[in-house]
Structure formats: structure tokens, C-alpha cells
């Protein structure tokens, strides 16, 4: 299988100028609009502790969401390859980010908690194993420098 190179582009526009720009720490909003051609705009901001708008997505939300969705998509593929029929999938993912006291910080871990339903009891073991394959295939998990843990449950529906 040939190795491919894929490119991604988006436009990030700051929309939080209240009239005086960044004249002071409290003088602007952290509002951002993310745009990708042909897709709906995504309204974003910083997280609440950093003076952000809690009704908008923040970078930390988006990182956890990227890991969760990438695992889901890789997992569905792994299940097809293993002959597992998934009938539902829901993930209650969470992440921990620690500030370093110097104005920066980093994620220390993300935990994915997929709740998977499969079509037949004979598929449960293979469905559990498919999480390992999905983790190996997930482009986003392979791109981060912190652990991504999995606490999966598989039931029959």
C-alpha cells in the first residue's frame, strides 16, 4: 500500500476585537471563527479559565474530540476487517491538561471510554481486540506526546 501525504488547510479568524484591540488583557474577547472550504463554520474561543466564551469550542475540547473521533473511525474500520458488526458506539472521553506556572501547559493524558454494541455475542472478544488495532491506526493518537488510554465496554444489542 503506497504511503500518502495529506494536506489540511483552514482559516482561523479572530473576531473578538471590542474596538481597542489587545490594548489590555480584559479589553478583548477570545472569539474565533474556524473555516474550512465547503464546511460549516465552527465558533471557537478559549476555555473559561482563560477568559473564553463557554458556549464555543475551545482548543482543548477540539483536541479531545479529535482523539475520540479518530479512534471511533479507526475502530469501525478495524471491526469491519475483523468481521465484527457494530450497531452503536458512544464515547465519554475526557482529558487532563496541566498548566506549568509559566503561562503554558500540556495535556498529560486523554481517556476514551467507548461504549460499543455489537450484533452478536460471538463478536465481543474481537470487538475488544479491535480497540488495540484502532489505537495503532489512529493518526491523531500517533501524533500526540501523551498517553491515550481506553476503557472500553462491549455489549450485545
Amino acid at each position: 500500500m503506497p504511503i500518502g501525504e495529506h494536506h489540511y488547510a483552514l482559516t482561523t479568524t479572530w473576531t473578538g476585537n471590542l474596538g481597542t484591540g489587545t490594548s489590555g488583557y480584559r479589553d478583548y474577547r477570545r472569539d474565533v471563527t474556524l473555516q474550512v472550504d465547503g464546511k460549516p463554520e465552527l465558533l471557537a474561543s478559549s476555555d473559561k479559565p482563560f477568559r473564553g466564551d463557554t458556549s464555543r469550542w475551545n482548543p482543548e475540547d477540539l483536541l479531545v474530540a479529535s482523539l475520540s473521533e479518530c479512534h471511533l473511525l479507526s475502530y469501525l474500520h478495524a471491526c469491519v476487517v475483523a468481521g465484527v458488526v457494530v450497531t452503536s458506539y458512544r464515547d465519554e472521553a475526557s482529558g487532563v491538561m496541566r498548566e506549568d506556572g509559566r503561562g503554558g501547559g500540556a495535556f498529560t493524558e486523554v481517556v476514551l471510554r467507548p461504549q460499543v454494541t455489537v450484533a452478536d455475542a460471538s463478536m465481543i472478544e474481537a470487538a475488544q481486540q479491535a480497540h488495540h488495532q484502532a489505537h495503532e491506526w489512529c493518526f491523531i493518537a500517533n501524533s500526540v506526546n501523551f498517553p491515550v488510554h481506553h476503557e472500553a465496554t462491549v455489549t450485545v444489542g
Side-chain angles (χ1 to χ4, degrees):
M1 186 174 213
I3 295 176
E5 182 174 280
H6 306 272
H7 298 260
Y8 302 90
L10 63 88
T11 301
T12 303
T13 305
W14 173 51
T15 58
N17 185 345
L18 298 175
T20 60
T22 56
S23 58
Y25 187 71
R26 289 179 169 76
D27 296 338
Y28 64 96
R29 294 180 54 87
R30 279 61 176 173
D31 295 354
V32 172
T33 302
L34 304 173
Q35 297 168 293
V36 174
D37 286 344
K39 298 179 184 179
E41 291 181 346
L42 186 61
L43 301 180
S45 186
S46 59
D47 195 10
K48 184 179 181 179
F50 311 109
R51 302 193 53 79
D53 181 342
T54 59
S55 71
R56 293 170 172 245
W57 288 83
N58 64 57
E60 297 82 9
D61 293 333
L62 293 168
L63 178 62
V64 174
S66 292
L67 286 161
S68 178
E69 182 183 1
C70 187
H71 185 81
L72 162 64
L73 296 171
S74 298
Y75 180 76
L76 295 177
H77 178 70
C79 284
V80 167
V81 171
V84 173
V85 177
V86 175
T87 58
S88 74
Y89 183 111
R90 178 182 173 91
D91 184 10
E92 298 287 338
S94 63
V96 176
M97 193 261 311
R98 286 208 179 99
E99 293 182 64
D100 62 13
R102 299 180 313 243
F107 270 79
T108 59
E109 73 173 350
V110 165
V111 179
L112 306 179
R113 295 176 186 85
Q115 301 161 24
V116 180
T117 304
V118 296
D120 188 84
S122 64
M123 300 174 177
I124 290 177
E125 185 176 334
Q128 286 285 12
Q129 289 302 314
H131 285 289
H132 300 290
Q133 182 63 62
H135 182 70
E136 295 297 317
W137 285 344
C138 176
F139 303 133
I140 308 301
N142 287 318
S143 301
V144 298
N145 65 353
F146 54 84
V148 179
H149 303 289
H150 306 90
E151 298 174 2
T153 59
V154 178
T155 58
V156 177

